[in-house]
Amino acid sequence: MDKAPNNRASLAKGAKDIAKEAKRHAAKNFSKAVDQASDEYSAHRSYNRFHNEDEEENNYNTYTQPDGHYADNAANDEEGASSDATEGHDDEDEIYEGEYQGVPAYNEGKTKDGQVALGQPVSDSVKSRKELENERQADEEELAQQYELIMQECGHGRFQWQLFFVLGLALMSDGVEVFVVGFVLPSAETDMCVPNSGAGWLGSIVYLGMMFGAFFWGGLSDKVGRKQCLLISMSVNGFFAFLSSFVQGYSMFLFCRMVSGFGIGGAVPIVFSYFAEVLAREKRGEHLSWLCMFWMIGGIYASAMAWAIIPHYGWSFSMGSAYQFHSWRVFVVVCALPCVSAVVALTFMPESPRFFLETGKHDEAWMVLKHIHDTNMRARGEPERVFTVNRIKVPKQLDELVEMQNESANPVLKVLFKIKAELRGIWLTFMRCFNHPVKDNTTKLAAVWFTLSFGYYGLSVWFPDVIKHLQADEYASRVKIHNNERIEDFTFNFTLENQIHRNGAFMNDRFIGMKFKVVTFIDSSFVNCYFEDVSSVGSIFKNCTFVDSFFYNTDIDDNKLKSSKVINSSFHHNKTGCQMTFDDDYSAYWVYFVNFLGTLAVLPGNIISALLMDKIGRLSMLGGSMVLSGISCFFLWFGTSESMMIFMLCLYNGLSISAWNSLDVVTAELYPTDRRGTGFGFCNAICKLAAVLGNLIFGSLVGITKAIPILLASAVLVGGGLESIRNDHQWG
């Protein structure tokens, strides 16, 4: 009875020896014999080797730990089977270099009671931290080369296009968030009666939230994974964006938009890191550039929705005077839809296999890569093609000193402890972005991100305000002035617009169901007049006198009665809050249309950058695009009409988009996997910081001088572009 097991063990050992020799021979001729290896593996190997292909007893049962750090399945425990995923491990416990040694256990590499963890050289326990880090870096370089070959075998097909559209929705949400700020700002501040001292905070606070969000979520994605972080960050954005449409107070609205910006801040660094890790290098530049088009689509979507929804004041309802839901709030809800769609679609996508390998999860990475390969092969009509990769190099997993928490501690303290540990991990990873060999890359990338963002976002604030000033000047030139008029016993039931009345006398007149739109009364008197259901948008009464007059359901209050006298007059059921209306408001439609044109103008630049990215180089395109956009910005000095300013806006956007696309690709490629999210998040945080400074500096110069904003934007753009071109041969 003892012979059967012995014979079976001998046969198994003999089979493994034969397979070992075959593998050594195939490794020497891998490039010429990959198809033969595929046939051999399809006939003799399957993914079952990761679980229980062999039923023999071996030393890998030590992976079934009593503390639960790694537990094999029940079938293996009962039958004494072992995973053949650790191929090369024979009865003499011989471990071949480069062979997959299983998913690293929690205490792998640590010694206790004189024993050495499985798969670790004995000398690891006496090696210095620097030596272990050097070994890990060598492993990462080897993995990078092997991973590139694996992605080439997986091919580019259906899986990448599925992920392309899913991540595109997330990137589209980021574009929508940026444009929502500008479109909602005037309406929200008017609806919530925000004084001039508080105006403009919405734009700055959203960018501040995005700045902290980019750094936090980008760093966290290097710790817990791309997909999981993107899901959480997008969920935070969608929830608070939706909530912000219902809150009534301006401070609460600011808080919701800030947290919403914090959530969407993780979109850009994670999306590009995620997608870059499932693309072969030959496809990376082109397809990351195509992905950038979704940011443009987000801008077009926001512009179109604002154009279609916000000016329709009738799309609103109210519950008394305490709760108002105007059309701009409907617009905010609609703009949250891309984020919700991205969250739903993302749940069906796998984690980045490159991240799995970086964290030592070989089995999970192999399964994702096989899924990518099989999905693409089925789409090509070649379902019989076998995924020939059987083992992948996993970088050495370095132990981190972690402070242990008492299991009986308060749950709240446990959560706080977990948050503290994650933040510490993010900070340590961030500090490694300033270590060799990526230190120079980090500083140079941060400088280019800052200059490009400062010029772009600064001008994005300056352009619309300049156009508004040009429109205001033209509107003011058409004002109608009435002096010393006397009107008695007349009924006004129509709109008075863009007028100035000086020294007028109104006696026994009735103002019923009408609007004052940008009308100014100076030194005028109203005697025995009746006002009912009157709106006064942008209208004021200076040094006027009201005698024996009656006001019912009007918005005329002390703020609009400047130095005026009210004698024996009464106000009943006055309208509360700030009144806003877009009825027949041509300027509102025009502002949204101009933004729509400016966003649409980036389409040619997107196409050109996608087609030429891999041909002329990332940094050459980055530097050339920044220099050209800086030159086009300079010619704004000569813009004297509204139409010319709009043309220059479209030209500037079309030239600068290639720089943004190139910068996204360069940033994703220059950082290693274990720091890619953190490095990208830091650069994007610098981008949002520059956006805040650009908003403040350029916004303060609107209407004062045209020279300083133009020269400042041109200088930083050209300077950043020349820096990129000068360092073309040094980066990387």
Side-chain angles (χ1 to χ4, degrees):
M1 293 190 58
D2 296 333
K3 281 187 174 183
N6 291 335
N7 291 338
R8 185 169 56 185
S10 299
L11 289 173
K13 182 178 179 182
K16 297 186 81 157
D17 291 339
I18 294 173
K20 217 181 302 175
E21 292 299 325
K23 284 181 62 179
R24 289 173 180 171
H25 179 72
K28 297 177 182 178
N29 305 283
F30 177 76
S31 59
K32 298 180 180 179
V34 65
D35 291 334
Q36 297 177 6
S38 176
D39 294 337
E40 179 182 348
Y41 271 92
S42 62
H44 300 288
R45 289 283 183 237
S46 69
Y47 186 63
N48 289 333
R49 62 190 176 79
F50 286 102
H51 299 289
N52 55 357
E53 180 183 286
D54 295 333
E55 296 182 356
E56 60 185 294
E57 194 71 35
N58 60 31
N59 290 335
Y60 274 81
N61 286 329
T62 58
Y63 267 8
T64 306
Q65 300 286 346
D67 57 1
H69 291 139
Y70 186 95
D72 208 340
N73 56 39
N76 285 350
D77 291 339
E78 293 174 2
E79 298 175 11
S82 65
S83 173
D84 195 27
T86 56
E87 198 166 348
H89 176 65
D90 55 22
D91 291 344
E92 286 77 24
D93 289 337
E94 182 181 3
I95 306 299
Y96 296 98
E97 182 180 0
E99 294 288 348
Y100 169 52
Q101 306 303 328
V103 178
Y106 176 80
N107 58 354
E108 184 174 347
K110 299 181 181 179
T111 60
K112 57 182 180 180
D113 299 329
Q115 296 180 353
V116 179
L118 188 60
Q120 292 290 340
V122 178
S123 58
D124 273 7
S125 59
V126 296
K127 287 182 180 178
S128 67
R129 178 78 178 184
K130 186 172 183 60
E131 290 175 329
L132 294 174
E133 289 178 349
N134 291 336
E135 289 185 15
R136 176 179 172 85
Q137 184 175 348
D139 290 344
E140 288 175 345
E141 293 174 356
E142 182 180 343
L143 171 60
Q145 298 175 2
Q146 185 186 11
Y147 192 80
E148 181 65 24
L149 295 175
I150 293 173
M151 293 313 303
Q152 291 177 6
E153 179 177 345
C154 291
H156 187 92
R158 176 178 294 174
F159 176 84
Q160 280 83 359
W161 285 112
Q162 290 173 346
L163 188 61
F164 173 80
F165 286 106
V166 172
L167 297 181
L169 287 172
L171 196 60
M172 177 181 172
S173 302
D174 182 82
V176 169
E177 186 76 16
V178 171
F179 283 89
V180 164
V181 175
F183 293 151
V184 165
L185 188 60
S187 304
E189 291 177 343
T190 301
D191 188 21
M192 297 179 180
C193 306
V194 179
N196 292 332
S197 59
W201 268 105
L202 179 58
S204 298
I205 206 160
V206 169
Y207 283 124
L208 285 174
M210 296 174 76
M211 179 181 72
F212 289 107
F215 182 79
F216 176 77
W217 297 113
L220 194 63
S221 70
D222 286 332
K223 307 294 291 182
V224 303
R226 318 299 191 206
K227 174 187 172 181
Q228 185 174 350
C229 272
L230 188 58
L231 268 174
I232 299 174
S233 66
M234 297 299 293
S235 299
V236 170
N237 169 250
F239 176 78
F240 281 93
F242 184 79
L243 183 63
S244 68
S245 66
F246 294 95
V247 298
Q248 295 295 301
Y250 189 60
S251 58
M252 191 63 185
F253 181 76
L254 284 178
F255 173 77
C256 289
R257 295 313 303 186
M258 182 186 69
V259 180
S260 174
F262 177 78
I264 200 62
V268 171
I270 299 177
V271 162
F272 284 100
S273 300
Y274 194 172
F275 197 48
E277 291 169 359
V278 295
L279 294 172
R281 179 171 177 78
E282 60 183 9
K283 299 283 187 180
R284 197 174 299 147
E286 176 184 354
H287 288 274
L288 285 177
S289 297
W290 289 123
L291 184 65
C292 294
M293 291 188 66
F294 280 93
W295 199 92
M296 174 201 71
I297 295 173
I300 293 176
Y301 175 82
S303 301
M305 292 299 102
W307 191 11
I309 296 174
I310 294 181
H312 292 279
Y313 183 71
W315 293 12
S316 62
F317 65 89
S318 61
M319 297 180 182
S321 60
Y323 189 85
Q324 305 287 332
F325 195 90
H326 294 304
S327 56
W328 67 267
R329 297 180 182 272
V330 179
F331 168 71
V332 171
V333 173
V334 171
C335 285
L337 296 180
C339 178
V340 175
S341 302
V343 170
V344 174
L346 195 60
T347 57
F348 298 97
M349 304 308 297
E351 179 58 84
S352 165
R354 190 68 169 84
F355 170 78
F356 276 146
L357 290 171
E358 200 67 32
T359 54
K361 299 179 180 179
H362 181 286
D363 291 19
E364 292 86 342
W366 191 93
M367 291 177 67
V368 174
L369 289 169
K370 185 177 186 301
H371 170 68
I372 296 174
H373 175 274
D374 293 347
T375 300
N376 291 340
M377 292 306 110
R378 283 194 300 268
R380 291 181 185 179
E382 302 176 7
E384 70 280 358
R385 288 283 294 272
V386 177
F387 186 51
T388 61
V389 176
N390 69 300
R391 56 185 173 86
I392 308 172
K393 183 69 176 179
V394 176
K396 182 182 293 295
Q397 301 302 299
L398 303 180
D399 296 329
E400 294 185 3
L401 296 176
V402 179
E403 182 183 353
M404 299 304 295
Q405 179 73 8
N406 190 348
E407 290 295 331
S408 61
N410 188 298
V412 176
L413 294 179
K414 287 184 178 181
V415 172
L416 294 176
F417 177 82
K418 179 67 174 177
I419 294 174
K420 177 184 175 182
E422 293 295 346
L423 291 176
R424 181 177 180 274
I426 292 172
W427 179 255
L428 292 176
T429 306
F430 169 65
M431 296 306 296
R432 291 174 58 215
C433 291
F434 292 91
N435 294 341
H436 182 78
V438 297
K439 177 181 178 180
D440 291 340
N441 292 342
T442 300
T443 54
K444 293 172 183 176
L445 282 173
V448 176
W449 273 96
F450 184 89
T451 55
L452 180 59
S453 178
F454 183 80
Y456 179 84
Y457 286 103
L459 287 177
S460 68
V461 172
W462 187 73
F463 265 126
D465 284 340
V466 167
I467 292 175
K468 288 179 182 178
H469 273 270
L470 292 173
Q471 290 178 338
D473 292 341
E474 182 184 358
Y475 189 76
S477 66
R478 294 185 280 109
V479 65
K480 296 179 181 179
I481 301 177
H482 303 271
N483 294 315
N484 302 315
E485 60 183 341
R486 180 182 179 89
I487 302 176
E488 296 184 29
D489 198 23
F490 185 81
T491 300
F492 292 86
N493 55 4
F494 49 87
T495 299
L496 298 180
E497 180 179 1
N498 197 18
Q499 299 178 7
I500 297 177
H501 298 262
R502 289 193 179 98
N503 299 316
F506 300 87
M507 303 180 65
N508 300 317
D509 294 325
R510 293 164 298 280
F511 300 84
I512 300 175
M514 56 89 61
K515 297 176 183 177
F516 295 115
K517 186 176 180 182
V518 195
V519 178
T520 302
F521 293 92
I522 303 174
D523 298 323
S524 299
S525 61
F526 298 83
V527 179
N528 197 26
C529 292
Y530 180 79
F531 297 82
E532 180 181 352
D533 195 19
V534 175
S535 304
S536 54
V537 178
S539 301
I540 57 174
F541 299 84
K542 292 183 179 179
N543 298 320
C544 295
T545 303
F546 295 86
V547 180
D548 295 328
S549 297
F550 184 86
F551 297 82
Y552 181 84
N553 193 31
T554 70
D555 62 353
I556 300 174
D557 54 18
D558 293 339
N559 294 324
K560 297 180 180 180
L561 300 177
K562 304 292 186 181
S563 303
S564 297
K565 298 179 181 179
V566 179
I567 302 172
N568 198 27
S569 300
S570 60
F571 295 81
H572 299 273
H573 298 286
N574 259 24
K575 296 179 181 179
T576 58
C578 299
Q579 303 302 312
M580 51 186 297
T581 176
F582 291 96
D583 291 351
D584 303 321
D585 191 349
Y586 170 76
S587 61
Y589 284 98
W590 184 243
V591 169
Y592 304 137
F593 182 67
V594 169
N595 279 277
F596 178 81
L597 289 179
T599 308
L600 193 62
V602 307
L603 180 60
N606 262 314
I607 296 175
I608 292 173
S609 64
L611 296 178
L612 300 181
M613 184 73 69
D614 293 319
K615 293 182 174 61
I616 68 176
R618 285 86 158 122
L619 293 174
S620 298
M621 178 171 288
L622 171 61
S625 177
M626 289 185 69
V627 171
L628 290 176
S629 60
I631 294 174
S632 69
C633 176
F634 177 76
F635 283 99
L636 289 170
W637 200 321
F638 306 100
T640 55
S641 65
E642 184 179 344
S643 58
M644 186 172 182
M645 294 296 291
I646 294 172
F647 171 76
M648 297 304 299
L649 167 67
C650 295
L651 178 62
Y652 171 76
N653 286 349
L655 290 172
S656 63
I657 192 61
S658 296
W660 284 110
N661 295 357
S662 305
L663 192 55
D664 289 331
V665 176
V666 168
T667 308
E669 290 183 334
L670 285 184
Y671 284 104
T673 306
D674 62 336
R675 281 164 279 183
R676 182 172 292 130
T678 304
F680 208 131
F682 168 68
C683 291
N684 203 248
I686 293 294
C687 166
K688 297 306 184 290
L689 175 63
V692 173
L693 296 177
N695 282 335
L696 296 176
I697 295 174
F698 283 74
S700 63
L701 297 174
V702 171
I704 299 176
T705 176
K706 188 165 65 173
I708 295 178
I710 291 175
L711 292 177
L712 188 60
S714 297
V716 296
L717 288 170
V718 173
L722 293 177
E723 175 68 14
S724 302
I725 296 174
R726 186 176 69 87
N727 293 292
D728 194 347
H729 64 286
Q730 299 177 4
W731 285 18

